[in-house]
Short mmCIF file of all heavy atoms in Angstrom, two decimals:
data_model
loop_
_atom_site.label_atom_id
_atom_site.label_comp_id
_atom_site.label_asym_id
_atom_site.label_seq_id
_atom_site.Cartn_x
_atom_site.Cartn_y
_atom_site.Cartn_z
N MET A 1 -3.82 6.99 22.30
CA MET A 1 -4.26 7.65 21.05
C MET A 1 -5.58 7.03 20.59
O MET A 1 -5.73 5.83 20.56
CB MET A 1 -3.19 7.44 19.97
CG MET A 1 -3.52 8.13 18.65
SD MET A 1 -2.36 7.71 17.34
CE MET A 1 -0.92 8.58 17.88
N ALA A 2 -6.49 7.89 20.23
CA ALA A 2 -7.79 7.40 19.77
C ALA A 2 -7.66 6.71 18.41
O ALA A 2 -6.89 7.12 17.56
CB ALA A 2 -8.77 8.55 19.67
N ARG A 3 -8.41 5.66 18.27
CA ARG A 3 -8.40 4.94 16.99
C ARG A 3 -9.34 5.66 16.02
O ARG A 3 -10.51 5.88 16.34
CB ARG A 3 -8.90 3.50 17.23
CG ARG A 3 -8.90 2.66 15.98
CD ARG A 3 -9.41 1.28 16.32
NE ARG A 3 -8.43 0.50 17.09
CZ ARG A 3 -7.59 -0.37 16.54
NH1 ARG A 3 -7.61 -0.57 15.26
NH2 ARG A 3 -6.74 -1.04 17.28
N ARG A 4 -8.81 5.99 14.88
CA ARG A 4 -9.63 6.73 13.89
C ARG A 4 -10.39 5.76 13.01
O ARG A 4 -9.90 4.69 12.69
CB ARG A 4 -8.74 7.56 12.99
CG ARG A 4 -8.07 8.71 13.70
CD ARG A 4 -7.17 9.43 12.73
NE ARG A 4 -7.91 10.10 11.68
CZ ARG A 4 -8.17 11.40 11.67
NH1 ARG A 4 -7.76 12.15 12.65
NH2 ARG A 4 -8.82 11.95 10.68
N ARG A 5 -11.55 6.19 12.59
CA ARG A 5 -12.27 5.43 11.56
C ARG A 5 -11.49 5.54 10.26
O ARG A 5 -11.03 6.60 9.90
CB ARG A 5 -13.66 6.02 11.33
CG ARG A 5 -14.63 5.69 12.43
CD ARG A 5 -15.98 6.29 12.11
NE ARG A 5 -16.55 5.70 10.91
CZ ARG A 5 -17.42 4.70 10.91
NH1 ARG A 5 -17.81 4.19 12.04
NH2 ARG A 5 -17.91 4.24 9.78
N THR A 6 -11.40 4.44 9.55
CA THR A 6 -10.69 4.48 8.27
C THR A 6 -11.63 4.31 7.10
O THR A 6 -11.20 4.31 5.96
CB THR A 6 -9.62 3.38 8.22
OG1 THR A 6 -10.25 2.13 8.46
CG2 THR A 6 -8.53 3.63 9.23
N SER A 7 -12.93 4.19 7.37
CA SER A 7 -13.90 4.05 6.30
C SER A 7 -14.79 5.29 6.25
O SER A 7 -15.01 5.93 7.27
CB SER A 7 -14.78 2.82 6.54
OG SER A 7 -14.01 1.66 6.50
N PRO A 8 -15.30 5.57 5.05
CA PRO A 8 -16.25 6.69 4.96
C PRO A 8 -17.48 6.40 5.80
O PRO A 8 -17.87 5.25 5.98
CB PRO A 8 -16.62 6.71 3.47
CG PRO A 8 -15.62 5.86 2.78
CD PRO A 8 -15.10 4.90 3.79
N THR A 9 -18.11 7.43 6.28
CA THR A 9 -19.35 7.24 7.00
C THR A 9 -20.46 6.85 6.03
O THR A 9 -20.35 7.05 4.82
CB THR A 9 -19.77 8.54 7.71
OG1 THR A 9 -20.02 9.52 6.71
CG2 THR A 9 -18.68 9.04 8.64
N ASP A 10 -21.54 6.31 6.57
CA ASP A 10 -22.68 5.94 5.73
C ASP A 10 -23.24 7.16 5.01
O ASP A 10 -23.71 7.06 3.89
CB ASP A 10 -23.78 5.29 6.58
CG ASP A 10 -23.37 3.91 7.06
OD1 ASP A 10 -22.43 3.33 6.50
OD2 ASP A 10 -24.01 3.42 8.00
N VAL A 11 -23.17 8.31 5.65
CA VAL A 11 -23.67 9.53 5.01
C VAL A 11 -22.85 9.85 3.76
O VAL A 11 -23.39 10.17 2.71
CB VAL A 11 -23.63 10.70 6.02
CG1 VAL A 11 -23.95 12.03 5.31
CG2 VAL A 11 -24.61 10.46 7.16
N VAL A 12 -21.55 9.75 3.89
CA VAL A 12 -20.68 10.03 2.74
C VAL A 12 -20.91 9.01 1.63
O VAL A 12 -21.00 9.36 0.45
CB VAL A 12 -19.20 10.06 3.18
CG1 VAL A 12 -18.28 10.17 1.96
CG2 VAL A 12 -18.95 11.24 4.11
N LYS A 13 -21.03 7.74 2.00
CA LYS A 13 -21.29 6.71 0.99
C LYS A 13 -22.58 7.00 0.25
O LYS A 13 -22.65 6.86 -0.97
CB LYS A 13 -21.38 5.32 1.65
CG LYS A 13 -20.04 4.80 2.12
CD LYS A 13 -20.25 3.41 2.71
CE LYS A 13 -18.96 2.87 3.30
NZ LYS A 13 -19.18 1.55 3.93
N ALA A 14 -23.60 7.39 0.99
CA ALA A 14 -24.89 7.70 0.35
C ALA A 14 -24.75 8.86 -0.61
O ALA A 14 -25.33 8.86 -1.71
CB ALA A 14 -25.94 8.00 1.43
N MET A 15 -23.96 9.86 -0.25
CA MET A 15 -23.72 11.00 -1.14
C MET A 15 -23.04 10.55 -2.43
O MET A 15 -23.37 11.01 -3.53
CB MET A 15 -22.79 12.02 -0.45
CG MET A 15 -23.46 12.88 0.58
SD MET A 15 -22.26 13.93 1.44
CE MET A 15 -21.43 14.72 0.06
N VAL A 16 -22.06 9.66 -2.30
CA VAL A 16 -21.31 9.18 -3.47
C VAL A 16 -22.22 8.36 -4.37
O VAL A 16 -22.24 8.55 -5.59
CB VAL A 16 -20.09 8.37 -3.02
CG1 VAL A 16 -19.38 7.72 -4.21
CG2 VAL A 16 -19.11 9.26 -2.25
N TYR A 17 -22.99 7.46 -3.79
CA TYR A 17 -23.91 6.64 -4.58
C TYR A 17 -24.91 7.53 -5.33
O TYR A 17 -25.21 7.32 -6.49
CB TYR A 17 -24.69 5.66 -3.70
CG TYR A 17 -23.90 4.49 -3.20
CD1 TYR A 17 -24.06 4.05 -1.89
CD2 TYR A 17 -23.04 3.78 -4.03
CE1 TYR A 17 -23.35 2.95 -1.41
CE2 TYR A 17 -22.33 2.69 -3.56
CZ TYR A 17 -22.48 2.28 -2.25
OH TYR A 17 -21.80 1.22 -1.77
N ASP A 18 -25.40 8.52 -4.61
CA ASP A 18 -26.40 9.40 -5.21
C ASP A 18 -25.79 10.20 -6.36
O ASP A 18 -26.36 10.31 -7.45
CB ASP A 18 -26.96 10.33 -4.13
CG ASP A 18 -28.16 11.10 -4.62
OD1 ASP A 18 -29.12 10.45 -5.08
OD2 ASP A 18 -28.16 12.33 -4.54
N ARG A 19 -24.60 10.74 -6.15
CA ARG A 19 -23.92 11.53 -7.18
C ARG A 19 -23.67 10.68 -8.42
O ARG A 19 -23.78 11.15 -9.56
CB ARG A 19 -22.58 12.03 -6.62
CG ARG A 19 -21.80 12.91 -7.57
CD ARG A 19 -20.36 13.05 -7.13
NE ARG A 19 -19.70 11.76 -7.22
CZ ARG A 19 -18.54 11.46 -6.63
NH1 ARG A 19 -17.93 12.35 -5.90
NH2 ARG A 19 -18.02 10.26 -6.77
N ASP A 20 -23.31 9.42 -8.21
CA ASP A 20 -22.97 8.54 -9.33
C ASP A 20 -24.18 7.78 -9.86
O ASP A 20 -24.04 6.87 -10.68
CB ASP A 20 -21.88 7.56 -8.89
CG ASP A 20 -20.55 8.27 -8.60
OD1 ASP A 20 -20.35 9.38 -9.12
OD2 ASP A 20 -19.74 7.72 -7.86
N GLY A 21 -25.36 8.15 -9.42
CA GLY A 21 -26.58 7.53 -9.92
C GLY A 21 -26.80 6.11 -9.43
O GLY A 21 -27.55 5.36 -10.03
N GLY A 22 -26.15 5.73 -8.37
CA GLY A 22 -26.34 4.42 -7.79
C GLY A 22 -25.82 3.30 -8.66
O GLY A 22 -26.28 2.16 -8.57
N ALA A 23 -24.86 3.62 -9.53
CA ALA A 23 -24.32 2.61 -10.43
C ALA A 23 -22.80 2.73 -10.50
O ALA A 23 -22.22 3.80 -10.24
CB ALA A 23 -24.90 2.81 -11.83
N CYS A 24 -22.17 1.64 -10.87
CA CYS A 24 -20.72 1.63 -11.06
C CYS A 24 -20.33 2.68 -12.11
O CYS A 24 -20.92 2.72 -13.19
CB CYS A 24 -20.28 0.23 -11.51
SG CYS A 24 -18.55 0.12 -11.95
N VAL A 25 -19.35 3.51 -11.80
CA VAL A 25 -18.98 4.58 -12.73
C VAL A 25 -18.26 4.04 -13.97
O VAL A 25 -18.16 4.73 -14.97
CB VAL A 25 -18.08 5.64 -12.04
CG1 VAL A 25 -18.84 6.35 -10.93
CG2 VAL A 25 -16.79 5.03 -11.51
N ARG A 26 -17.77 2.83 -13.91
CA ARG A 26 -17.03 2.30 -15.06
C ARG A 26 -17.92 1.46 -15.96
O ARG A 26 -17.91 1.63 -17.16
CB ARG A 26 -15.84 1.46 -14.59
CG ARG A 26 -15.05 0.88 -15.75
CD ARG A 26 -13.69 0.36 -15.32
NE ARG A 26 -13.06 -0.25 -16.48
CZ ARG A 26 -12.91 -1.58 -16.63
NH1 ARG A 26 -13.30 -2.42 -15.68
NH2 ARG A 26 -12.35 -2.06 -17.71
N CYS A 27 -18.71 0.55 -15.39
CA CYS A 27 -19.48 -0.37 -16.24
C CYS A 27 -20.98 -0.21 -16.07
O CYS A 27 -21.74 -0.83 -16.79
CB CYS A 27 -19.05 -1.81 -15.97
SG CYS A 27 -19.66 -2.49 -14.43
N GLY A 28 -21.41 0.61 -15.12
CA GLY A 28 -22.83 0.83 -14.93
C GLY A 28 -23.55 -0.25 -14.15
O GLY A 28 -24.78 -0.22 -14.08
N ALA A 29 -22.82 -1.18 -13.57
CA ALA A 29 -23.45 -2.23 -12.79
C ALA A 29 -24.26 -1.65 -11.63
O ALA A 29 -23.88 -0.63 -11.05
CB ALA A 29 -22.39 -3.20 -12.24
N LEU A 30 -25.37 -2.30 -11.32
CA LEU A 30 -26.23 -1.83 -10.24
C LEU A 30 -26.15 -2.73 -9.01
O LEU A 30 -26.85 -2.52 -8.03
CB LEU A 30 -27.68 -1.78 -10.73
CG LEU A 30 -27.92 -0.82 -11.91
CD1 LEU A 30 -29.33 -0.97 -12.43
CD2 LEU A 30 -27.63 0.61 -11.53
N GLU A 31 -25.29 -3.73 -9.07
CA GLU A 31 -25.19 -4.70 -7.97
C GLU A 31 -23.74 -4.79 -7.51
O GLU A 31 -22.81 -4.42 -8.24
CB GLU A 31 -25.65 -6.08 -8.43
CG GLU A 31 -27.10 -6.10 -8.87
CD GLU A 31 -27.54 -7.50 -9.24
OE1 GLU A 31 -26.73 -8.24 -9.83
OE2 GLU A 31 -28.68 -7.85 -8.92
N ASN A 32 -23.57 -5.34 -6.31
CA ASN A 32 -22.24 -5.57 -5.76
C ASN A 32 -21.41 -4.29 -5.73
O ASN A 32 -20.21 -4.30 -6.01
CB ASN A 32 -21.51 -6.65 -6.56
CG ASN A 32 -22.26 -7.97 -6.56
OD1 ASN A 32 -22.77 -8.38 -5.53
ND2 ASN A 32 -22.35 -8.59 -7.70
N LEU A 33 -22.07 -3.20 -5.40
CA LEU A 33 -21.38 -1.91 -5.40
C LEU A 33 -20.57 -1.69 -4.13
O LEU A 33 -20.95 -2.12 -3.05
CB LEU A 33 -22.39 -0.78 -5.58
CG LEU A 33 -23.14 -0.81 -6.90
CD1 LEU A 33 -24.22 0.25 -6.91
CD2 LEU A 33 -22.20 -0.64 -8.08
N THR A 34 -19.48 -0.99 -4.32
CA THR A 34 -18.64 -0.63 -3.19
C THR A 34 -18.14 0.79 -3.44
O THR A 34 -18.39 1.37 -4.49
CB THR A 34 -17.48 -1.63 -3.05
OG1 THR A 34 -16.72 -1.30 -1.90
CG2 THR A 34 -16.57 -1.62 -4.26
N VAL A 35 -17.46 1.34 -2.47
CA VAL A 35 -16.93 2.69 -2.62
C VAL A 35 -15.42 2.59 -2.82
O VAL A 35 -14.72 2.04 -2.00
CB VAL A 35 -17.27 3.55 -1.38
CG1 VAL A 35 -16.58 4.90 -1.46
CG2 VAL A 35 -18.77 3.74 -1.28
N HIS A 36 -14.98 3.09 -3.94
CA HIS A 36 -13.56 3.05 -4.27
C HIS A 36 -12.89 4.38 -3.92
O HIS A 36 -13.43 5.43 -4.22
CB HIS A 36 -13.39 2.78 -5.77
CG HIS A 36 -11.97 2.89 -6.22
ND1 HIS A 36 -11.03 1.99 -5.85
CD2 HIS A 36 -11.34 3.83 -6.97
CE1 HIS A 36 -9.86 2.35 -6.38
NE2 HIS A 36 -10.02 3.47 -7.06
N HIS A 37 -11.72 4.28 -3.30
CA HIS A 37 -10.94 5.48 -3.01
C HIS A 37 -10.06 5.83 -4.19
O HIS A 37 -9.25 5.03 -4.63
CB HIS A 37 -10.03 5.24 -1.79
CG HIS A 37 -10.75 5.17 -0.50
ND1 HIS A 37 -11.52 4.08 -0.12
CD2 HIS A 37 -10.85 6.05 0.52
CE1 HIS A 37 -12.03 4.33 1.07
NE2 HIS A 37 -11.65 5.51 1.48
N ARG A 38 -10.21 7.03 -4.71
CA ARG A 38 -9.35 7.47 -5.80
C ARG A 38 -7.90 7.50 -5.33
O ARG A 38 -7.00 7.11 -6.05
CB ARG A 38 -9.76 8.86 -6.27
CG ARG A 38 -11.18 8.88 -6.81
CD ARG A 38 -11.69 10.31 -6.91
NE ARG A 38 -11.08 11.02 -8.01
CZ ARG A 38 -11.69 11.19 -9.20
NH1 ARG A 38 -12.89 10.70 -9.41
NH2 ARG A 38 -11.11 11.84 -10.15
N VAL A 39 -7.68 8.03 -4.16
CA VAL A 39 -6.37 7.95 -3.52
C VAL A 39 -6.52 6.94 -2.39
O VAL A 39 -7.33 7.11 -1.50
CB VAL A 39 -5.92 9.31 -2.96
CG1 VAL A 39 -4.61 9.17 -2.20
CG2 VAL A 39 -5.78 10.31 -4.10
N ASN A 40 -5.74 5.89 -2.46
CA ASN A 40 -5.95 4.80 -1.53
C ASN A 40 -5.46 5.13 -0.13
O ASN A 40 -4.49 5.85 0.05
CB ASN A 40 -5.22 3.56 -2.05
CG ASN A 40 -5.73 2.30 -1.40
OD1 ASN A 40 -5.37 1.99 -0.26
ND2 ASN A 40 -6.59 1.58 -2.09
N ARG A 41 -6.15 4.54 0.84
CA ARG A 41 -5.76 4.74 2.24
C ARG A 41 -4.34 4.27 2.51
O ARG A 41 -3.70 4.75 3.42
CB ARG A 41 -6.72 3.96 3.15
CG ARG A 41 -8.13 4.49 3.15
CD ARG A 41 -8.93 3.82 4.25
NE ARG A 41 -9.02 2.38 4.06
CZ ARG A 41 -9.97 1.79 3.37
NH1 ARG A 41 -10.90 2.49 2.81
NH2 ARG A 41 -10.00 0.48 3.25
N GLY A 42 -3.88 3.32 1.74
CA GLY A 42 -2.56 2.77 2.00
C GLY A 42 -1.42 3.59 1.43
O GLY A 42 -0.26 3.22 1.57
N MET A 43 -1.72 4.70 0.78
CA MET A 43 -0.69 5.47 0.10
C MET A 43 -0.31 6.73 0.88
O MET A 43 0.05 7.75 0.32
CB MET A 43 -1.16 5.83 -1.31
CG MET A 43 -1.41 4.57 -2.13
SD MET A 43 -2.18 4.88 -3.72
CE MET A 43 -0.75 5.40 -4.67
N GLY A 44 -0.41 6.68 2.17
CA GLY A 44 0.06 7.78 3.00
C GLY A 44 -1.01 8.80 3.32
O GLY A 44 -0.74 9.76 4.02
N GLY A 45 -2.22 8.59 2.80
CA GLY A 45 -3.26 9.58 3.04
C GLY A 45 -4.23 9.20 4.13
O GLY A 45 -5.19 9.91 4.36
N ALA A 46 -4.01 8.07 4.78
CA ALA A 46 -5.01 7.54 5.70
C ALA A 46 -5.35 8.52 6.82
O ALA A 46 -6.44 8.48 7.36
CB ALA A 46 -4.53 6.23 6.29
N ARG A 47 -4.43 9.38 7.16
CA ARG A 47 -4.69 10.29 8.27
C ARG A 47 -5.26 11.62 7.81
O ARG A 47 -5.55 12.49 8.62
CB ARG A 47 -3.40 10.53 9.04
CG ARG A 47 -2.81 9.24 9.58
CD ARG A 47 -1.43 9.47 10.16
NE ARG A 47 -1.50 10.14 11.44
CZ ARG A 47 -1.61 9.51 12.61
NH1 ARG A 47 -1.66 8.21 12.65
NH2 ARG A 47 -1.68 10.18 13.73
N GLU A 48 -5.37 11.78 6.50
CA GLU A 48 -5.86 13.05 5.98
C GLU A 48 -7.39 13.09 6.02
O GLU A 48 -8.04 12.12 5.64
CB GLU A 48 -5.41 13.23 4.53
CG GLU A 48 -3.91 13.15 4.35
CD GLU A 48 -3.19 14.25 5.12
OE1 GLU A 48 -3.78 15.33 5.28
OE2 GLU A 48 -2.06 14.01 5.56
N PRO A 49 -7.97 14.18 6.43
CA PRO A 49 -9.43 14.24 6.58
C PRO A 49 -10.18 14.10 5.26
O PRO A 49 -11.33 13.67 5.26
CB PRO A 49 -9.68 15.60 7.22
CG PRO A 49 -8.44 16.39 7.00
CD PRO A 49 -7.31 15.41 6.91
N TRP A 50 -9.54 14.43 4.14
CA TRP A 50 -10.25 14.38 2.86
C TRP A 50 -10.34 12.99 2.28
O TRP A 50 -11.07 12.75 1.33
CB TRP A 50 -9.60 15.32 1.84
CG TRP A 50 -8.12 15.12 1.68
CD1 TRP A 50 -7.13 15.81 2.31
CD2 TRP A 50 -7.48 14.15 0.85
NE1 TRP A 50 -5.91 15.33 1.92
CE2 TRP A 50 -6.10 14.31 1.03
CE3 TRP A 50 -7.94 13.14 -0.03
CZ2 TRP A 50 -5.15 13.51 0.37
CZ3 TRP A 50 -7.00 12.35 -0.67
CH2 TRP A 50 -5.63 12.53 -0.48
N ILE A 51 -9.60 12.05 2.86
CA ILE A 51 -9.49 10.73 2.24
C ILE A 51 -10.85 10.03 2.16
O ILE A 51 -11.10 9.25 1.25
CB ILE A 51 -8.45 9.87 2.98
CG1 ILE A 51 -7.91 8.77 2.07
CG2 ILE A 51 -9.01 9.27 4.27
CD1 ILE A 51 -6.85 9.25 1.09
N ASN A 52 -11.72 10.29 3.12
CA ASN A 52 -13.02 9.64 3.13
C ASN A 52 -14.16 10.60 2.79
O ASN A 52 -15.30 10.37 3.14
CB ASN A 52 -13.27 8.97 4.49
CG ASN A 52 -12.41 7.74 4.64
OD1 ASN A 52 -12.33 6.92 3.72
ND2 ASN A 52 -11.77 7.58 5.78
N GLN A 53 -13.82 11.67 2.08
CA GLN A 53 -14.87 12.59 1.65
C GLN A 53 -15.26 12.29 0.21
O GLN A 53 -14.51 11.66 -0.55
CB GLN A 53 -14.39 14.03 1.82
CG GLN A 53 -14.26 14.35 3.31
CD GLN A 53 -13.84 15.78 3.57
OE1 GLN A 53 -13.65 16.56 2.66
NE2 GLN A 53 -13.73 16.10 4.85
N ALA A 54 -16.44 12.76 -0.17
CA ALA A 54 -17.07 12.31 -1.41
C ALA A 54 -16.20 12.54 -2.64
O ALA A 54 -16.19 11.72 -3.55
CB ALA A 54 -18.42 13.00 -1.58
N HIS A 55 -15.45 13.62 -2.68
CA HIS A 55 -14.69 13.89 -3.91
C HIS A 55 -13.54 12.93 -4.11
O HIS A 55 -12.98 12.85 -5.20
CB HIS A 55 -14.21 15.35 -3.92
CG HIS A 55 -13.14 15.64 -2.90
ND1 HIS A 55 -13.43 16.14 -1.66
CD2 HIS A 55 -11.81 15.48 -2.94
CE1 HIS A 55 -12.28 16.27 -0.99
NE2 HIS A 55 -11.29 15.88 -1.74
N ASN A 56 -13.18 12.20 -3.09
CA ASN A 56 -12.12 11.20 -3.24
C ASN A 56 -12.69 9.81 -3.48
O ASN A 56 -11.93 8.83 -3.53
CB ASN A 56 -11.23 11.18 -2.00
CG ASN A 56 -10.01 10.29 -2.18
OD1 ASN A 56 -9.34 10.37 -3.21
ND2 ASN A 56 -9.73 9.42 -1.23
N LEU A 57 -14.00 9.70 -3.62
CA LEU A 57 -14.64 8.39 -3.69
C LEU A 57 -15.43 8.22 -4.98
O LEU A 57 -15.97 9.18 -5.53
CB LEU A 57 -15.60 8.22 -2.50
CG LEU A 57 -14.92 8.36 -1.12
CD1 LEU A 57 -15.98 8.45 -0.04
CD2 LEU A 57 -14.00 7.21 -0.86
N LEU A 58 -15.46 6.99 -5.45
CA LEU A 58 -16.23 6.63 -6.64
C LEU A 58 -17.08 5.42 -6.31
O LEU A 58 -16.68 4.55 -5.54
CB LEU A 58 -15.28 6.23 -7.78
CG LEU A 58 -14.39 7.32 -8.37
CD1 LEU A 58 -13.38 6.68 -9.32
CD2 LEU A 58 -15.24 8.34 -9.11
N THR A 59 -18.25 5.36 -6.94
CA THR A 59 -19.05 4.15 -6.83
C THR A 59 -18.52 3.15 -7.85
O THR A 59 -18.40 3.47 -9.03
CB THR A 59 -20.52 4.47 -7.14
OG1 THR A 59 -20.96 5.49 -6.25
CG2 THR A 59 -21.39 3.22 -6.97
N ALA A 60 -18.18 1.97 -7.41
CA ALA A 60 -17.67 0.94 -8.31
C ALA A 60 -18.16 -0.42 -7.85
O ALA A 60 -18.29 -0.67 -6.65
CB ALA A 60 -16.15 0.95 -8.34
N CYS A 61 -18.45 -1.30 -8.82
CA CYS A 61 -18.80 -2.67 -8.45
C CYS A 61 -17.53 -3.39 -7.99
O CYS A 61 -16.41 -2.91 -8.19
CB CYS A 61 -19.47 -3.39 -9.61
SG CYS A 61 -18.36 -3.75 -10.99
N THR A 62 -17.69 -4.55 -7.43
CA THR A 62 -16.53 -5.24 -6.88
C THR A 62 -15.52 -5.59 -7.98
O THR A 62 -14.32 -5.57 -7.75
CB THR A 62 -16.96 -6.51 -6.12
OG1 THR A 62 -17.80 -7.29 -6.96
CG2 THR A 62 -17.72 -6.15 -4.86
N VAL A 63 -16.00 -5.88 -9.18
CA VAL A 63 -15.11 -6.19 -10.29
C VAL A 63 -14.28 -4.96 -10.66
O VAL A 63 -13.06 -5.01 -10.77
CB VAL A 63 -15.90 -6.68 -11.52
CG1 VAL A 63 -14.98 -6.85 -12.73
CG2 VAL A 63 -16.59 -8.00 -11.19
N CYS A 64 -14.96 -3.84 -10.86
CA CYS A 64 -14.26 -2.63 -11.27
C CYS A 64 -13.42 -2.05 -10.14
O CYS A 64 -12.41 -1.40 -10.39
CB CYS A 64 -15.25 -1.60 -11.79
SG CYS A 64 -16.05 -2.15 -13.30
N ASN A 65 -13.82 -2.28 -8.91
CA ASN A 65 -13.01 -1.81 -7.80
C ASN A 65 -11.63 -2.45 -7.90
O ASN A 65 -10.60 -1.78 -7.76
CB ASN A 65 -13.68 -2.17 -6.47
CG ASN A 65 -13.06 -1.43 -5.30
OD1 ASN A 65 -12.46 -0.38 -5.46
ND2 ASN A 65 -13.18 -2.00 -4.13
N GLY A 66 -11.59 -3.73 -8.21
CA GLY A 66 -10.31 -4.40 -8.42
C GLY A 66 -9.58 -3.84 -9.62
O GLY A 66 -8.36 -3.66 -9.60
N TRP A 67 -10.33 -3.51 -10.67
CA TRP A 67 -9.71 -2.94 -11.87
C TRP A 67 -9.08 -1.59 -11.55
O TRP A 67 -7.96 -1.30 -11.96
CB TRP A 67 -10.77 -2.80 -12.96
CG TRP A 67 -10.20 -2.32 -14.26
CD1 TRP A 67 -9.72 -3.10 -15.27
CD2 TRP A 67 -10.07 -0.96 -14.69
NE1 TRP A 67 -9.29 -2.28 -16.30
CE2 TRP A 67 -9.49 -0.98 -15.97
CE3 TRP A 67 -10.39 0.26 -14.10
CZ2 TRP A 67 -9.22 0.20 -16.68
CZ3 TRP A 67 -10.12 1.44 -14.80
CH2 TRP A 67 -9.55 1.40 -16.09
N PHE A 68 -9.78 -0.77 -10.81
CA PHE A 68 -9.23 0.55 -10.43
C PHE A 68 -7.94 0.37 -9.61
O PHE A 68 -7.00 1.14 -9.78
CB PHE A 68 -10.25 1.34 -9.60
CG PHE A 68 -11.29 2.03 -10.43
CD1 PHE A 68 -12.64 1.75 -10.22
CD2 PHE A 68 -10.94 2.96 -11.38
CE1 PHE A 68 -13.61 2.39 -10.96
CE2 PHE A 68 -11.92 3.62 -12.13
CZ PHE A 68 -13.26 3.32 -11.92
N GLU A 69 -7.92 -0.62 -8.75
CA GLU A 69 -6.73 -0.81 -7.94
C GLU A 69 -5.55 -1.21 -8.81
O GLU A 69 -4.41 -0.85 -8.53
CB GLU A 69 -7.00 -1.90 -6.90
CG GLU A 69 -8.26 -1.62 -6.12
CD GLU A 69 -8.02 -1.36 -4.64
OE1 GLU A 69 -7.15 -2.03 -4.08
OE2 GLU A 69 -8.71 -0.51 -4.07
N ASP A 70 -5.83 -1.93 -9.88
CA ASP A 70 -4.76 -2.36 -10.79
C ASP A 70 -4.38 -1.27 -11.79
O ASP A 70 -3.32 -1.31 -12.41
CB ASP A 70 -5.19 -3.60 -11.58
CG ASP A 70 -5.30 -4.82 -10.69
OD1 ASP A 70 -4.70 -4.82 -9.59
OD2 ASP A 70 -5.96 -5.79 -11.09
N ASN A 71 -5.29 -0.30 -12.00
CA ASN A 71 -5.08 0.73 -13.02
C ASN A 71 -5.34 2.12 -12.43
O ASN A 71 -6.26 2.81 -12.84
CB ASN A 71 -6.03 0.50 -14.20
CG ASN A 71 -5.78 -0.83 -14.87
OD1 ASN A 71 -4.91 -0.96 -15.71
ND2 ASN A 71 -6.54 -1.84 -14.46
N PRO A 72 -4.55 2.49 -11.43
CA PRO A 72 -4.87 3.73 -10.70
C PRO A 72 -4.80 5.00 -11.54
O PRO A 72 -5.32 6.04 -11.12
CB PRO A 72 -3.81 3.75 -9.59
CG PRO A 72 -2.71 2.90 -10.11
CD PRO A 72 -3.36 1.84 -10.94
N ARG A 73 -4.19 4.95 -12.70
CA ARG A 73 -4.07 6.15 -13.52
C ARG A 73 -5.23 6.35 -14.46
O ARG A 73 -5.34 7.40 -15.11
CB ARG A 73 -2.77 6.10 -14.33
CG ARG A 73 -1.56 6.20 -13.45
CD ARG A 73 -0.28 6.02 -14.25
NE ARG A 73 0.89 6.20 -13.40
CZ ARG A 73 1.44 7.38 -13.14
NH1 ARG A 73 0.91 8.47 -13.65
NH2 ARG A 73 2.49 7.49 -12.37
N GLU A 74 -6.06 5.33 -14.62
CA GLU A 74 -7.15 5.45 -15.58
C GLU A 74 -8.28 6.32 -15.03
O GLU A 74 -8.51 6.36 -13.86
CB GLU A 74 -7.72 4.07 -15.90
CG GLU A 74 -6.73 3.20 -16.64
CD GLU A 74 -6.44 3.74 -18.04
OE1 GLU A 74 -7.35 4.32 -18.67
OE2 GLU A 74 -5.30 3.61 -18.51
ZN1 LIG B 1 -18.26 -2.05 -12.66
#
């Protein structure tokens, strides 16, 4: 069985950063940015093609990425 990529492609990340203005969507930070999955890969969606598409992703700094993981309903 072929091993699937589990991360968004660089193209998708660039789309997300651009959509979100290159800043953290929660605090507006411009540094230490990462891509947060609204629906996490570990929640049964890892094999779904939409999991790494832009609408499932948010730009978040490393601090807020942790906050989103702790507060998935916010
Ligand atoms: Zn932030």
Side-chain angles (χ1 to χ4, degrees):
M1 182 187 289
R3 182 181 287 264
R4 292 177 67 101
R5 285 181 64 96
T6 56
S7 296
T9 64
D10 289 343
V11 172
V12 172
K13 287 182 185 177
M15 283 175 52
V16 174
Y17 286 139
D18 190 55
R19 183 196 65 196
D20 293 338
C24 173
V25 295
R26 180 165 176 253
C27 75
L30 299 173
E31 299 183 322
N32 301 317
L33 297 174
T34 183
V35 173
H36 173 70
H37 288 74
R38 298 164 74 99
V39 175
N40 198 281
R41 293 190 298 271
M43 298 172 80
R47 301 171 74 89
E48 303 298 330
W50 52 264
I51 203 80
N52 288 314
Q53 292 182 0
H55 70 266
N56 188 46
L57 302 169
L58 293 171
T59 303
C61 70
T62 52
V63 173
C64 295
N65 194 24
W67 184 91
F68 279 122
E69 308 245 322
D70 291 340
N71 298 277
R73 292 175 176 274
E74 294 293 326

